[in-house]
Amino acid sequence: MRWFIFILFYLVLSWYAFQSVRTLTRINWIHYSYIVLSLVILGSFIYQFAFLSEQSRLMTPARSYAFGFLLTFIVSSLCVIPFLFGEDLYRLGAGVYNKFFGQGQSFTVLSRRKFISTIALGIAAIPFTSLLYGMYKGKYNFRVLRYTLHFDDLPDAFDGYRITQISDIHSGSFDNKSKIEYAVDLVNEQESDVILFTGDMVNNEAREMLPWKDTFSKLTARDGKFSVLGNHDYGDYISWSSPEEKTKNLDQLKDLQKEMGFDLLLNENRYLEKDGERIALIGVENWGAGGFKKAGDLGKAASGIQKDDFKILMSHDPSHWENQVIQDDYHYHLTLSGHTHGMQFGIEIPGLIKWSPVKWRYKYWAGIYEELGQYINVNRGFGYLAYPGRVGIWPEITVIELKKKELA
């Protein structure tokens, strides 16, 4: 029934949007091309998500592209509809007026005007080209974002300490090995003291990481690389033949991370030491508000950590920081999160605008925030999920330098 409603919605939307094309040109091959394209996009989506649903649970690149092209077509069509609908109301009103107030005129609906369809298609071309660009180029348009944070209680030995954070790899979505190798090399070029990965290594299954295991094994930092789990790493979003199979999948992912050289922190902590001084690194399992998995245990993760230690917390979902971390008795100097992806869509012009629809869901959704003398960085994500692209919110490699605040 859901498929029937969706197909009906898509066909009606496509037919209505097609009226602008038909108004603008009478060339038949353009009309036929539009119709064939809309049907091919619909057929591809149905094939990938209906007919292959039992054969594969993975969000493969083919499925991502099927969804991406469908999304592009629907969003572009929706941009056309308000113009056509507004014109249709005018045409209907004019026809009624002529019928009852015209001098003997019959009810006649005016023809569509070309300039309205031209404007509608011109507006629709903006999301159409943007979303296609996001799939072609944007998803691998890696950016290195650098921040310097000052703390008055940072141990002297860690003045100038550099952290590289990556998050949300979503390896099951990748389709270009050379681009990923370039990004891994870019991480290593930062020559940071430590690499911290804040969750969502896969979309659902551990096997998604197998083709990329050797590539991510090349990540290196002087003090090692550490990781935590994200909500997608638990395999909660697909069906399993048994609870044992699901548990085995998670164990395989944990083993894979170890084989790649990551120290996976499962509600645990480590000390990073330098010149006789140390800072605490705490990693919690996923904790998310709004129906997301709450496996994180901050108290357990910080067990053995002293209250006056300088603390860095790795927690995948920034809602954890908002709901638990900020008000905790322990002062967590810096929290590193990801999860939001910046919705993979938005507008960012440094110093002028920073906007994405995801801001309506997450208060802290991208970049550095400060509350009660504590910082969080929400990484925009290394990979992508579902829509195989990024528009305006580019894949991110974060480099954070810790600095000792000079006393006045």
Side-chain angles (χ1 to χ4, degrees):
M1 184 63 181
R2 287 180 299 176
W3 277 108
F4 174 78
I5 295 173
F6 166 74
I7 293 172
L8 181 63
F9 163 78
Y10 180 87
L11 292 177
V12 170
L13 178 66
S14 301
W15 175 85
Y16 200 36
F18 171 64
Q19 305 312 306
S20 62
V21 177
R22 193 167 64 172
T23 300
L24 197 60
T25 177
R26 295 182 179 275
I27 301 175
N28 287 333
W29 72 264
I30 294 180
H31 297 172
Y32 295 140
S33 297
Y34 178 96
I35 294 170
V36 170
L37 178 63
S38 63
L39 293 177
V40 167
I41 289 173
L42 176 62
S44 174
F45 182 80
I46 293 174
Y47 176 72
Q48 290 292 335
F49 287 88
F51 289 93
L52 295 183
S53 61
E54 298 300 322
Q55 299 175 26
S56 174
R57 300 172 300 189
L58 300 179
M59 189 63 177
T60 62
R63 283 186 169 186
S64 293
Y65 278 110
F67 173 76
F69 286 122
L70 182 83
L71 177 67
T72 300
F73 194 83
I74 288 178
V75 170
S76 302
S77 298
L78 288 173
C79 289
V80 172
I81 299 305
F83 293 92
L84 297 188
F85 185 69
E87 184 183 28
D88 284 346
L89 289 178
Y90 170 79
R91 294 165 64 212
L92 179 63
V96 171
Y97 180 85
N98 290 335
K99 170 67 176 177
F100 292 100
F101 301 103
Q103 297 180 352
Q105 297 186 36
S106 60
F107 177 79
T108 303
V109 177
L110 302 176
S111 300
R112 293 188 182 277
R113 292 165 290 180
K114 281 190 175 183
F115 84 92
I116 295 293
S117 293
T118 301
I119 294 173
L121 290 174
I123 296 296
I126 297 174
F128 183 80
T129 55
S130 296
L131 289 168
L132 289 181
Y133 174 83
M135 290 191 283
Y136 176 62
K137 285 277 191 180
K139 62 185 177 183
Y140 294 133
N141 187 21
F142 292 96
R143 302 294 177 90
V144 178
L145 301 185
R146 295 179 173 85
Y147 303 100
T148 300
L149 302 180
H150 295 82
F151 303 90
D152 54 12
D153 56 347
L154 179 70
D156 292 337
F158 286 88
D159 186 23
Y161 195 79
R162 287 161 57 87
I163 300 165
T164 289
Q165 179 199 2
I166 56 175
S167 191
D168 299 270
I169 290 175
H170 289 287
S171 54
S173 300
F174 293 151
D175 61 1
N176 191 315
K177 188 173 181 63
S178 64
K179 295 292 186 181
I180 301 306
E181 289 175 340
Y182 161 78
V184 167
D185 289 341
L186 191 59
V187 173
N188 286 334
E189 286 174 11
Q190 307 313 308
E191 297 183 341
S192 291
D193 296 285
V194 67
I195 294 174
L196 304 180
F197 170 65
T198 47
D200 277 2
M201 185 163 280
V202 297
N203 295 338
N204 292 295
E205 296 190 52
R207 61 185 168 126
E208 297 168 20
M209 194 64 195
L210 292 176
W212 310 99
K213 175 184 173 182
D214 292 341
T215 301
F216 283 92
S217 295
K218 296 175 183 177
L219 288 171
T220 182
R222 181 175 61 83
D223 290 339
K225 48 192 182 185
F226 300 84
S227 61
V228 293
L229 296 176
N231 55 301
H232 279 269
D233 293 323
Y234 296 91
D236 288 341
Y237 304 119
I238 58 176
S239 59
W240 299 90
S241 61
S242 67
E244 292 75 20
E245 183 191 15
K246 183 180 179 182
T247 300
K248 181 181 178 181
N249 175 72
L250 182 56
D251 289 339
Q252 289 174 339
L253 181 60
K254 293 175 182 178
D255 290 340
L256 265 174
Q257 296 209 26
K258 183 178 180 180
E259 292 168 11
M260 289 187 292
F262 285 95
D263 186 352
L264 177 62
L265 304 182
L266 302 167
N267 293 324
E268 299 172 278
N269 61 75
R270 305 283 188 269
Y271 275 108
L272 303 176
E273 299 186 1
K274 185 177 182 182
D275 299 336
E277 295 184 299
R278 64 185 189 176
I279 60 177
L281 179 64
I282 302 105
V284 296
E285 293 196 49
N286 191 81
W287 193 103
F292 287 102
K293 191 178 191 73
K294 291 180 172 62
D297 187 330
L298 187 59
K300 179 182 178 182
S303 178
I305 297 295
Q306 302 301 310
K307 195 170 185 179
D308 59 352
D309 283 331
F310 187 92
K311 294 175 283 296
I312 298 174
L313 173 66
M314 301 167 65
S315 180
H316 177 70
D317 192 319
S319 65
H320 186 216
W321 191 68
E322 179 182 1
N323 286 276
Q324 289 194 344
V325 177
I326 298 176
Q327 303 296 337
D328 193 85
D329 288 340
Y330 272 32
H331 182 88
Y332 290 90
H333 299 75
L334 173 62
T335 297
L336 302 177
S337 297
H339 181 62
T340 71
H341 299 207
M343 204 175 171
Q344 297 169 211
F345 174 84
I347 303 172
E348 287 195 272
I349 303 175
L352 293 177
I353 186 172
K354 175 182 171 184
W355 178 88
S356 168
V358 78
K359 68 176 293 184
W360 298 321
R361 173 64 176 84
Y362 290 95
K363 182 178 180 180
Y364 310 102
W365 59 273
I368 296 285
Y369 302 88
E370 181 183 6
E371 297 284 353
L372 301 177
Q374 301 167 89
Y375 291 95
I376 186 174
N377 180 63
V378 184
N379 185 284
R380 294 160 180 81
F382 185 97
Y384 51 89
L385 180 67
Y387 166 61
R390 285 177 175 267
V391 179
I393 305 293
W394 312 119
E396 176 181 339
I397 297 164
T398 312
V399 178
I400 299 176
E401 184 177 10
L402 308 180
K403 293 294 291 183
K404 182 84 171 185
K405 184 182 293 185
E406 296 182 2
L407 297 177

